[in-house]
């Protein structure tokens, strides 16, 4: 664990409010990246706050051999999971995501009006990323936005590193296939 | 790998993710010569680029300040609660013990109270301190008042523990009732 995190932890455990504020500032981006992939927008701020309250309450039990960021990430992931379970949201539509037939994807093909609406290629891809199943979206965010390694993502999501890798590849393939079905190939590979 | 064997999605993604592209020259040669795989590669490249673009963090600008404030106010509340529970743990038996002593003393008469109860404790105290007779004699006045304090302390402890005993008994009764 790095020195900055060690100092922050001892500051927080010593009762420093400003140390905790710095800890939140340092890790709020990671927490947001996880929460925003799993929880509806209206709940983002509340869930993020909930995550940091849990971090505060459990910090004395944190094993400093691991990275603080992955520990906080895990709390964020579990808190979001609990929220979804309470709301009875179907999370792991692995089958729906992975095994989704071409027909079902084709059924949601966009109309010509929609195509003109989502004119920007980046926006189209972004929209499809947001529509990915929760688990795939989270892995994609942690890998590409947080530059995390497979084992770090695995620690957060309680998955083996190999599974994380295969889910990541699957997510990107799913994304590519959906986009190819919805839009012209020429549009996508510009 | 011949030019006719197209690259798999996994190979293309691995190639895209790998930082040491020179190690994958075989794949590069194929991509250079195969239009179809190059197209797939470019599609993945686009996806990766978009997925890596930072997203806006839609939290209040003072999010960290607010969370820190919530935490500090809740820890103050926790401390107050602990203090309150400590006071209520000790205050009730203490007041009860003092009350019991006063009631007993009132009905038994102060003189009787002094002669029977406290002198009993004092005698007990003297029997303990008797072996140190030299010291006991020269500090006889101190000995008596210390004995008095000791006696009062023992009484408080006794009535204080009565409270705990009653609580334990009532808990045990609850258990019995639940068994029945
Ligand atoms: Zn090819």
């Amino acid at each position: 664990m790095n020195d900055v995190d060690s100092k922050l932890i001892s500051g927080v455990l010593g009762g420093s409010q400003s140390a905790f504020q710095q800890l939140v500032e340092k890790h709020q981006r990671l927490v947001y990246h996880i929460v925003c992939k799993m929880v509806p927008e209206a709940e983002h701020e509340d869930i993020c706050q909930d995550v940091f309250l849990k971090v505060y309450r459990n910090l004395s039990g944190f094993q400093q051999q691991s990275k603080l960021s992955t520990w906080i990430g895990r709390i964020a992931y579990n808190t979001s999971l609990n929220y979804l379970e309470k709301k009875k949201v179907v999370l792991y539509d692995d089958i729906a995501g992975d095994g989704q037939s071409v027909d079902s994807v084709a059924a949601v093909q966009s109309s010509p009006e929609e195509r003109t609406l989502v004119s920007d290629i980046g926006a189209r891809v972004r929209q499809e990323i947001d529509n990915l199943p929760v688990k795939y979206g989270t892995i994609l965010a942690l890998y590409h936005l947080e530059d995390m390694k497979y084992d770090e993502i695995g620690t957060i999501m309680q998955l083996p590193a190999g599974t994380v890798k295969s889910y990541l590849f699957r997510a990107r393939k799913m994304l590519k296939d959906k986009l190819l079905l919805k839009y012209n190939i020429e549009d996508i590979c510009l | 790998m011949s030019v006719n064997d197209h690259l798999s999605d996994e190979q293309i993604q691995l190639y895209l993710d790998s930082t040491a592209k020179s190690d994958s020259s075989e794949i590069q040669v194929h991509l250079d010569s195969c239009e179809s795989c190059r197209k797939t590669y470019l599609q993945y490249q686009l996806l990766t680029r978009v997925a890596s673009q930072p997203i806006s963090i839609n939290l209040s600008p003072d999010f960290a300040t607010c969370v820190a404030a919530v935490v500090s106010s809740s820890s103050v509340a926790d401390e107050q609660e602990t203090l309150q529970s400590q006071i209520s743990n000790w205050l009730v038996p203490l007041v009860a013990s003092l009350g019991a002593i006063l009631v007993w003393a009132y009905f038994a008469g102060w003189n009787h109270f002094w002669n029977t109860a406290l002198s009993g404790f004092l005698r007990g105290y003297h029997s303990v301190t008797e072996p140190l007779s030299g010291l006991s004699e020269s500090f006889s006045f101190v000995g008596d008042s210390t004995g008095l304090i000791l006696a009062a302390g023992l009484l408080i402890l006794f009535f204080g523990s009565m409270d705990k005993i009653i609580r334990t008994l009532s808990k045990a009764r609850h258990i019995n009732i639940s068994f029945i």
Side-chain angles (χ1 to χ4, degrees):
Chain A
M1 199 181 54
N2 64 50
D3 285 351
V4 183
D5 282 340
S6 296
K7 275 181 193 161
L8 284 179
I9 292 170
S10 31
V12 175
L13 294 178
S16 161
Q17 189 181 329
S18 79
F20 185 65
Q21 191 178 324
Q22 284 173 58
L23 184 144
V24 175
E25 277 162 3
K26 187 165 183 255
H27 296 282
Q28 65 184 14
R29 208 180 75 118
L30 164 70
V31 169
Y32 185 82
H33 280 155
I34 295 170
V35 170
C36 80
K37 289 289 165 195
M38 302 179 69
V39 168
E41 197 176 348
E43 308 285 343
H44 287 174
E45 186 131 353
D46 283 351
I47 301 284
C48 287
Q49 178 170 317
D50 202 15
V51 169
F52 282 110
L53 294 183
K54 284 180 186 166
V55 167
Y56 182 80
R57 281 190 217 113
N58 296 295
L59 197 62
S60 57
F62 167 62
Q63 305 292 316
Q64 302 214 5
Q65 293 96 314
S66 61
K67 277 176 96 173
L68 181 64
S69 57
T70 48
W71 183 74
I72 292 178
R74 192 167 173 157
I75 293 177
Y77 184 74
N78 287 337
T79 306
S80 306
L81 269 192
N82 287 343
Y83 171 86
L84 293 179
E85 275 162 12
K86 263 186 215 155
K87 298 279 169 185
K88 304 208 187 306
V89 173
V90 180
L91 304 169
Y92 293 129
D93 43 356
D94 254 279
I95 302 121
D98 186 40
Q100 202 165 32
S101 70
V102 173
D103 288 348
S104 68
V105 177
V108 293
Q109 267 195 331
S110 54
S111 63
E113 293 79 21
E114 274 177 300
R115 288 188 201 201
T116 44
L117 242 154
V118 193
S119 54
D120 175 52
I121 237 177
R124 292 181 213 176
V125 179
R126 172 72 50 212
Q127 197 178 54
E128 288 307 321
I129 290 176
D130 290 342
N131 289 337
L132 278 175
V134 168
K135 187 158 57 174
Y136 296 130
T138 311
I139 290 178
L140 217 60
L142 291 175
Y143 187 82
H144 287 295
L145 296 175
E146 288 293 326
D147 280 329
M148 281 190 161
K149 297 182 178 72
Y150 299 141
D151 61 332
E152 291 173 323
I153 300 173
T155 306
I156 290 175
M157 298 178 69
Q158 290 120 82
L159 292 171
T163 310
V164 171
K165 183 186 167 187
S166 81
Y167 282 174
L168 175 73
F169 281 33
R170 221 185 278 179
R172 291 193 297 212
K173 185 170 184 324
M174 199 191 294
L175 210 54
K176 179 189 69 112
D177 291 346
K178 278 188 177 183
L179 283 160
L180 286 178
L181 273 167
K182 277 194 174 183
Y183 309 105
N184 292 326
I185 293 172
E186 289 71 28
D187 289 349
I188 305 301
C189 56
L190 271 175
Chain B
M1 180 172 58
S2 84
V3 176
N4 292 329
D5 293 331
H6 288 303
L7 297 169
S8 68
D9 277 272
E10 186 172 353
Q11 281 176 306
I12 293 173
Q13 291 196 54
L14 268 176
Y15 179 71
L16 195 66
D17 282 348
S18 80
T19 42
K21 290 219 164 44
S22 55
D23 295 346
S24 326
S25 55
E26 209 180 330
I27 289 177
Q28 184 59 60
V29 167
H30 183 91
L31 287 175
D32 287 344
S33 59
C34 176
E35 176 74 22
S36 162
C37 288
R38 192 164 58 247
K39 215 163 212 177
T40 311
Y41 171 78
L42 289 173
Q43 286 159 1
Y44 275 119
Q45 195 180 44
L46 172 77
L47 295 184
T48 306
R49 213 170 44 227
V50 174
S52 308
Q53 277 167 4
I55 55 169
S56 55
I57 309 294
N58 291 324
L59 294 173
S60 334
D62 57 349
F63 175 75
T65 321
C66 290
V67 177
V70 168
V71 153
S72 77
S73 67
S74 71
S75 50
V76 167
D78 284 350
E79 274 168 29
Q80 279 174 346
E81 205 182 326
T82 320
L83 192 69
Q84 270 172 7
S85 66
Q86 274 177 354
I87 289 171
S88 66
N89 269 349
W90 285 103
L91 201 66
V92 174
L94 191 74
V95 170
S97 316
L98 285 173
I101 293 169
L102 288 174
V103 168
W104 178 40
Y106 178 79
F107 284 110
W110 288 106
N111 285 336
H112 180 69
F113 169 71
W114 174 256
N115 289 335
T116 57
L118 292 184
S119 62
F121 279 112
L122 283 175
R123 272 200 301 277
Y125 173 78
H126 277 303
S127 72
V128 173
T129 53
E130 207 61 43
L132 308 160
S133 52
L135 279 171
S136 175
E137 271 165 29
S138 43
F139 294 100
S140 59
F141 172 72
V142 178
D144 280 356
S145 42
T146 316
L148 186 68
I149 294 163
L150 187 75
L154 283 171
L155 272 174
I156 290 168
L157 266 176
F158 174 72
F159 284 107
S161 59
M162 279 301 285
D163 172 71
K164 291 247 164 32
I165 290 165
I166 289 165
R167 263 192 256 174
T168 317
L169 284 175
S170 68
K171 269 185 199 164
R173 208 173 56 222
H174 280 304
I175 294 165
N176 284 340
I177 287 164
S178 70
F179 273 122
I180 293 161

